Amino acid sequence: MDTIRILIADDEKEIRDLLKKYLERERYEVDTAIHGEEALRLFAHKAYQLVILDVMMPKIDGMEACRSLRKTSNVPIMMLTAKDDEVDKIVGLTVGADDYITKPFSINEVVARVKALLRRSLVLNPDSRASEEERFHLHGVTLDMRSCTASVDGREIALTAKELQLLKFFMQHPGQVFTKTQLFRQVWNSDYLEDDNTVMVHIRKLRKKIEADPSDPQYIQTVWGIGYKFAGERE
């Protein structure tokens, strides 16, 4: 198996050292940066399979670093925030983060979430899903798992790794209704749903990208009081 490289950016040395120590125990290769500017510089010169960014950092903070990475990469991104602030979490997800952890955190939970992100990432090893159906087309939406690309009526759209996974799951089950908890279990590969915002923010972002009118979605539809579904087969 190829080396899995993780980049950690945090201005607190204790946090950097702790994460590096435990992730290296899992046989990952880990680089660290003291701020977002250094993280972006490292990312430009080496391939990483996952990035962990602290929200509050000097020079370039985690939000801005995440936004910059998303312009060129679908690498899974985990955000660390010292604030138990719902706004921070929503903003982090909106700029392209796949997950977030609030400080102080359980190191075992961080390691578990890192493993889940790597396991579910389309970027990490797309060829490992060779036995799965890799191309989906429904109602003008096309999703190609091998190339990690999506398009609507021939117009290519840029999706993050987590958005691709969410769209894939919906398109695998057209017409089937899922609760937010069910979606979280399937797409985030975890039973622990801290709040509804994680799923809701990703659905909101996905709708903005694939729907002609996100306020009146035709693809990802809300089933009030239950959850969401992808438009079923035409009758």
Side-chain angles (χ1 to χ4, degrees):
M1 181 178 182
D2 293 337
T3 299
I4 295 176
R5 298 185 181 88
I6 297 175
L7 175 60
I8 300 168
D10 195 305
D11 59 335
E12 296 183 56
K13 185 178 187 301
E14 294 81 3
I15 297 294
R16 293 197 308 272
D17 291 348
L18 179 66
L19 291 172
K20 180 178 175 69
K21 175 182 177 181
Y22 276 82
L23 290 173
E24 286 183 338
R25 284 184 181 180
E26 302 296 327
R27 302 190 183 280
Y28 301 133
E29 182 178 305
V30 181
D31 290 337
T32 62
I34 62 174
H35 47 62
E37 183 178 294
E38 183 180 12
L40 293 176
R41 186 165 59 248
L42 287 170
F43 192 87
H45 292 91
K46 188 183 289 188
Y48 293 97
Q49 281 70 52
L50 185 136
V51 177
I52 300 176
L53 299 171
D54 183 36
V55 171
M56 300 298 291
M57 292 187 291
K59 295 195 176 182
I60 296 178
D61 65 24
M63 297 293 189
E64 187 58 36
C66 180
R67 190 177 290 109
S68 181
L69 289 174
R70 277 291 170 256
K71 292 178 181 178
T72 60
S73 174
N74 285 329
V75 63
I77 297 175
M78 177 185 291
M79 305 292 291
L80 302 178
T81 174
K83 302 176 182 178
D84 190 10
D85 189 339
E86 184 175 306
V87 173
D88 269 1
K89 295 173 183 177
I90 293 174
V91 171
L93 294 170
T94 301
V95 299
D98 297 287
D99 200 0
Y100 58 83
I101 294 283
T102 302
K103 298 178 184 178
F105 51 73
S106 159
I107 187 63
N108 290 328
E109 182 184 356
V110 175
V111 171
R113 291 203 188 189
V114 164
K115 288 180 177 180
L117 280 176
L118 290 170
R119 189 164 55 245
R120 300 290 293 181
S121 172
L122 301 176
V123 179
L124 176 62
N125 187 11
D127 290 334
S128 67
R129 289 166 305 280
S131 61
E132 296 183 22
E133 185 175 3
E134 296 170 342
R135 197 168 190 274
F136 304 86
H137 183 78
L138 190 62
H139 304 317
V141 179
T142 299
L143 175 64
D144 192 323
M145 304 302 291
R146 291 298 298 269
S147 61
C148 294
T149 58
S151 63
V152 178
D153 295 329
R155 174 180 58 85
E156 188 167 335
I157 53 177
L159 299 179
T160 67
K162 194 61 65 180
E163 290 165 356
L164 283 164
Q165 292 164 15
L166 183 58
L167 181 58
K168 173 190 172 184
F169 184 73
F170 273 129
M171 294 185 74
Q172 283 178 313
H173 306 90
Q176 187 171 342
V177 181
F178 295 97
T179 66
K180 289 184 279 290
T181 299
Q182 288 173 325
L183 290 171
F184 190 78
R185 286 174 178 167
Q186 294 295 324
V187 178
W188 278 260
N189 198 32
S190 173
D191 289 329
Y192 179 66
L193 177 60
E194 183 176 337
D195 56 49
D196 293 342
N197 284 319
T198 300
V199 175
M200 293 171 63
V201 168
H202 279 82
I203 287 177
R204 190 181 309 133
K205 289 166 56 183
L206 190 52
R207 280 173 167 169
K208 285 182 179 180
K209 294 180 179 182
I210 71 173
E211 302 282 359
D213 181 2
S215 65
D216 182 25
Q218 302 303 305
Y219 300 121
I220 302 176
Q221 301 171 353
T222 299
V223 180
W224 296 108
I226 303 177
Y228 303 92
K229 70 175 182 178
F230 194 87
E233 298 289 350
R234 291 188 178 89
E235 297 180 356

